[in-house]
Amino acid sequence: MIEFRRVSKVFDGGEKKVEALKEINITVEKGDIFGVIGFSGAGKSTLIRTVNLLEYPTSGEVIVEGKDLAKMSEKDLREAKKNIGMIFQHFNLLNSKTVFDNVAMPLLLGKKKKKEIEERVNEILRFVGLEDKAMNYPNQLSGGQKQRVGIARALATNPSILLCDEATSALDPQTTKAILNLLKRINEEYKITILIITHEMEVIKEICNRVAVMEDGSVIESGNVIDIFARPRTETTRNFIRSVVRDEVPSSVYGLLNEDAYFSRIFKIDFLGLSSGQPIVSKTAKRFNVEINVLFGNITELQGIPFGNLIVEIIGNEDEIDRALQFIKNQNVKVKEVTKDGSKQRAHFKRLVGNAVHG
Amino acid sequence: MEVSKELILNALWETLYMVSISLFFGSIIGIFLGILLVVTRKGHIYENRFIFSIVNPIVNIFRSIPFIILLVAIIPFTRLMVGTSIGTTAAIVPLVLHIGPYISRLVENSLLEVDEGIIEAAKAMGATPIQIIFRFLMPEAFASLILSITTATIGLVGATAMAGAIGGGGLGDVAITYGYQRFSTITIFVTVLILVIVVQGVQSLGNIFERKIRRV
């Protein structure tokens, strides 16, 4: 568990003072995969560095597994750091040493016995899938393999916490996925609490269960990933979510809005949870005398729960469309009509009210 | 007049003797000061403004004195160290004082080239400052250090040519006393040729080692 209690950090660059962190309060629970997302310069790198005191907070406390590392002696601090693994964007491996020696390094520093080191290093290299690369040098490896070495090195001392500093930012999308899967396995199999900082919402979406959004040195939003995705409160968060789940109506859809909207109307259906898209669409089409045409869709999964939106065209007579719409609404999804006018998406209730009076 | 083969060989031996002994002690001093210059600078693992602001100008002072001046300027000190101020052994004292600070700058550069991320990773692992220096910085800079020492060695070969001024002997001395002062062009030619070969040899050796360490 990591608790940030009113953590502030000011970099004193002579005349110019930079407030990198402003009264940060976050709690990372045991077993969490906690993501901190923000643009560069938001302070997230500084934040993660206060956990193992690569940066000392100017004020406030960071409590790691119940202890305030800043109050420890140098010796105790070094010991405590063995319980906190860290991986980096640029891997920071020793190019002069083999994969084996890189992974063995933290154990060597801890003056462990040679046999013990050998067993542990081989075990952990097997876990990350690099047992056949033990005698290679880092510059003979791909980016993904280098990060696996970084992970193996971070796990060598059996830490209870793993800090990931933009660990996938230098990797291609496919390798990123593989590394994220590995991190998830580490979290599940070794019960290691993971704190990740990133500027990629993809990372949060893929593996985090909790997230904090940082901007300008402050946490502007935090909570369960599902809650944040479903109900973002700030524009920054909405922008990050849009980077993985498109929610704007594509212009081709607007092109389809024709004059005789009487027989055809276009709706955007937002999903979260069990009421996943396809059953609703097919059920509605079966139950009512309407045709439903899926124009556009973007559905993803957050911790096994479907999340996203569908843009559908419902074709039929007006009453039937209204009834179908009411049915869809009752499935506990958000429905908005796509209209041509300036507001882009007019809340459909206006039309509904009108129709209700009409009917 | 002709210069005997023995004379040339003897001079070669004197040059190699001066170079190797002063390289040995100069490297010890240079590596120590180089590390000190790196780790005591601002923001580094042993940040210490006091030590840095003493070592840095001292190195600069020794680097700025022309070797021929240094050679004669420290004669009392040389006598104190080796009991004499004339001869090959006496030349080693100023050579060490000349090359040590030079090596320290080269070492400083090599160590500063090491990616800061390596130090960060080391700190994150809970490495002590001594462990950071000897288990992270030095191994990572090793290939670059080899090239630095190579450069220093070649600098030393050049500096030994001036050792004749205090009776140090060596190839440079032969070139001056026999070649220049007695108008023996062939002597100058032979000694310069030998010096070229020595320098080429040292440089090639350095490159081979460096490549072996970098595994390219």
Side-chain angles (χ1 to χ4, degrees), chain A residues 203-226:
Chain A
V203 172
I204 307 286
K205 193 196 96 183
E206 284 294 320
I207 61 165
C208 295
N209 65 323
R210 300 214 301 136
V211 62
V213 183
M214 280 191 77
E215 190 169 45
D216 214 9
S218 302
V219 170
I220 55 173
E221 215 164 328
S222 72
N224 284 327
V225 167
I226 295 174

Side-chain angles (χ1 to χ4, degrees), chain A residues 49 52 54 78 81-82 84 86 88 92-97 105-106 108-109 111 137-139 153 165, chain B residues 115-129 131 135-137 139-140 213-216:
Chain A
R49 279 169 175 67
N52 58 2
L54 292 179
R78 279 197 288 274
K81 279 181 179 176
K82 304 208 159 112
I84 309 171
M86 188 168 192
F88 305 87
N92 296 351
L93 301 175
L94 288 156
N95 288 316
S96 57
K97 302 226 183 287
M105 186 55 91
L108 212 64
L109 298 180
K111 304 201 165 58
Y137 286 88
N139 58 9
R153 181 175 71 176
D165 177 15
Chain B
D115 188 352
E116 276 181 44
I118 297 284
I119 300 172
E120 196 167 51
K123 282 183 183 166
M125 276 178 225
T128 63
Q131 284 173 330
R135 290 208 181 272
F136 293 83
L137 281 180
E140 281 301 279
I213 290 159
R214 275 199 221 274
R215 300 177 312 279
V216 288

Side-chain angles (χ1 to χ4, degrees), chain A residues 9 28 33 59 66 70 77 83 154 162 212 227-228 291 300 305 316 318 328 334:
Chain A
K9 174 76 186 183
V28 180
I33 303 186
S59 65
L77 174 61
N83 193 34
L162 179 62
D227 294 340
I228 298 288
E291 269 181 65
T300 182
I305 297 172
E318 196 178 352
I328 294 172
K334 245 165 59 184

Side-chain angles (χ1 to χ4, degrees), chain A residues 45-61:
Chain A
S45 282
T46 311
L47 182 74
I48 202 167
R49 279 169 175 67
T50 61
V51 178
N52 58 2
L53 295 181
L54 292 179
E55 296 285 357
Y56 278 79
T58 312
S59 65
E61 300 163 316

